[in-house]
Amino acid sequence: MIKFLDLQKINGQYAEELKKAAAEVIDSGWYLLGEQVKQFESSLEVFQEGGNAVAVANGLDALRLIFKAYIELGLMKQGDEVIVPANTYIASVLAITDNGLIPVLVEPDLSSYNLDLNLIENKITAKTKAIMVVHLYGRVCWGSELVALAEKHNLKIIEDNAQAIGARFNGVRTGNLGDAAGFSFYPGKNLGALGDAGAVVTKDVELAETVRTLANYGSSQKYVNRYQGLNSRMDEIQAAFLNVKLRYLEAETQGRRAIAAYYIANIKNSKIILPSLDEVDGHVWHVFVIRCNKRDELQAYLQEHGIQTLIHYPIPLYKQECYSYMSAISLAITEQIHAQVLSLPISAVIDTDEILKVVAVLNAFNG
């Protein structure tokens, strides 16, 4: 079986370094808010080529804390609206609703699967305070028109950078394009911990310190609580693992780009819609997503031939039970994407023979 993502093999490349890092944490006797976290924050700032990094417990909390900090700073309040792509993973919207803010869903562009920047302005009201862009599947969502809209309407731009660490737009890292960004280091991400972890990156020093305080029970001084905060701290052992793996991220990204380029050049089946190869230097290919009118049939066919795939994502967030009050919403492009997309294996450890097999099996599909 060609695994969709072989985490054991991915982490096995660095097993000795990871074991050494774990031993150092165990021997230190310091497991939270220590030197490993400080080192990771510093290393992430260097990797991002700017900004202030705050390590937190996971990617959802990173986004939740950004909005919570803006509310504490008086820049947003409950009932304000946030524009967000309709086809994102549910975490993007959970971060909004958890803070009493209102998500305003906007259709994506069918060619990129990212937020259609041309549809934003018609959704802006007097209550709109922010636009959340999601760099979905590792592809950059940005443009001069987005920046102009934000300036015109005095809106914050928050980046959901969970899938796109290492990507660039005109030379600038995603996560440093907007006002603040949330990162996820879930094990399956391009930079994955061996458990949950996340970070906030922002150039706004006041916002960064507010996020840091909120993530530590609302406290910047022990037993003195300024805010009603959360417990959302990256632990030392995950930071230690990330300090190891961050050193290899650029090389792994180049490997993903090479696989994506091969897929695009060699999959020649008219029933399969491939992603475009434009702006390849900016795309980090967190997942390689194709579309097919007979997606479920194709997935079953690939499984029969020993190729594991995943669907990102099968159900639109506004059709989920937890958002039943949105169930009347109908968004044709979003629903087409959810019905057709299929993610192929792509990672730093998939080998040449496996890539050749994926292509050959796809090209033979006659469904």
Side-chain angles (χ1 to χ4, degrees):
M1 172 66 70
I2 299 174
K3 293 184 179 181
F4 174 74
L5 188 65
D6 192 336
L7 289 178
Q8 186 175 21
K9 192 173 181 180
I10 288 170
N11 289 317
Q13 302 173 102
Y14 317 121
E16 293 309 312
E17 290 179 80
L18 294 171
K19 290 173 184 177
K20 181 180 177 183
E24 288 174 358
V25 173
I26 294 167
D27 291 344
S28 75
W30 196 285
Y31 308 122
L32 284 171
L33 301 178
E35 292 304 314
Q36 294 287 349
V37 168
K38 290 177 184 177
Q39 181 185 331
F40 177 68
E41 289 176 340
S42 177
S43 296
L44 183 58
E45 290 169 357
V46 171
F47 179 85
Q48 284 295 114
E49 299 166 0
N52 304 278
V54 182
V56 299
N58 55 69
L60 171 56
D61 278 4
L63 295 172
R64 289 171 70 205
L65 285 159
I66 290 168
F67 288 115
K68 191 171 180 66
Y70 277 132
I71 290 170
E72 292 291 355
L73 292 170
L75 299 175
M76 295 182 192
K77 64 182 184 303
Q78 291 192 357
D80 284 343
E81 295 175 351
V82 179
I83 288 170
V84 62
N87 65 313
T88 185
Y89 182 56
I90 198 169
S92 308
V93 174
L94 287 171
I96 297 168
T97 58
D98 186 64
N99 282 288
L101 302 168
I102 309 300
V104 177
L105 305 182
V106 175
E107 287 268 52
D109 183 308
L110 190 57
S111 65
S112 70
Y113 309 127
N114 274 332
L115 181 65
D116 189 333
L117 303 184
N118 296 314
L119 301 180
I120 294 174
E121 190 156 29
N122 286 339
K123 297 288 187 176
I124 295 173
T125 73
K127 291 186 175 182
T128 308
K129 292 296 184 291
I131 302 167
M132 180 188 286
V133 295
V134 181
H135 305 299
L136 196 65
Y137 309 148
R139 183 184 186 127
V140 182
C141 179
W142 202 257
S144 58
E145 64 270 46
L146 174 68
V147 176
L149 267 181
E151 291 177 351
K152 177 180 177 181
H153 297 279
N154 193 28
L155 305 177
K156 298 294 184 184
I157 304 177
I158 291 101
E159 297 174 75
D160 182 339
N161 201 44
Q163 299 184 6
I165 186 169
R168 293 184 185 271
F169 181 84
N170 289 344
V172 179
R173 295 282 197 197
T174 56
N176 274 355
L177 293 165
D179 294 285
F183 290 66
S184 170
F185 307 116
Y186 175 79
K189 294 296 193 287
N190 290 26
L191 178 62
L194 275 69
D196 263 324
V200 172
V201 173
T202 178
K203 295 174 185 174
D204 184 333
V205 174
E206 184 180 23
L207 180 68
E209 287 309 308
T210 305
V211 166
R212 188 180 300 280
T213 301
L214 284 166
N216 186 36
Y217 297 97
S219 172
S220 57
Q221 179 183 347
K222 195 168 186 178
Y223 301 131
V224 178
N225 298 76
R226 182 175 182 182
Y227 307 116
Q228 296 179 32
L230 308 174
N231 175 12
S232 184
R233 302 171 298 194
M234 183 185 293
D235 61 69
E236 283 286 283
I237 204 159
Q238 296 305 332
F241 292 150
L242 290 168
N243 283 326
V244 171
K245 294 184 70 177
L246 182 58
R247 298 197 290 269
Y248 300 99
L249 179 59
E250 285 283 20
E252 289 199 3
T253 298
Q254 292 306 317
R256 287 174 176 272
R257 286 174 175 156
I259 294 166
Y262 187 86
Y263 278 159
I264 290 170
N266 292 281
I267 296 172
K268 304 289 186 181
N269 190 323
S270 61
K271 295 179 175 62
I272 294 169
I273 300 169
L274 297 168
S276 63
L277 200 56
D278 63 320
E279 300 176 356
V280 67
D281 289 337
H283 202 324
V284 296
W285 302 100
H286 171 58
V287 286
F288 187 93
V289 177
I290 61 174
R291 289 194 356 253
C292 180
N293 287 329
K294 296 185 177 180
R295 188 267 312 282
D296 294 343
E297 184 178 335
L298 175 60
Q299 185 177 39
Y301 163 83
L302 289 167
Q303 182 72 23
E304 289 169 5
H305 286 80
I307 300 169
Q308 185 183 40
T309 58
L310 291 181
I311 298 170
H312 295 88
Y313 304 97
I315 304 171
L317 63 93
Y318 54 88
K319 299 297 183 185
Q320 299 285 355
E321 184 178 355
C322 64
Y323 288 125
S324 58
Y325 63 88
M326 298 186 190
S327 61
I329 293 174
S330 180
L331 297 169
I333 295 174
T334 294
E335 286 159 31
Q336 180 182 352
I337 289 169
H338 283 274
Q340 293 181 343
V341 291
L342 188 67
S343 300
L344 302 182
I346 186 169
S347 75
V349 296
I350 185 170
D351 64 36
T352 302
D353 288 343
E354 290 173 325
I355 297 166
L356 292 173
K357 180 178 178 179
V358 171
V359 170
V361 173
L362 282 169
N363 285 339
F365 178 66
N366 289 314

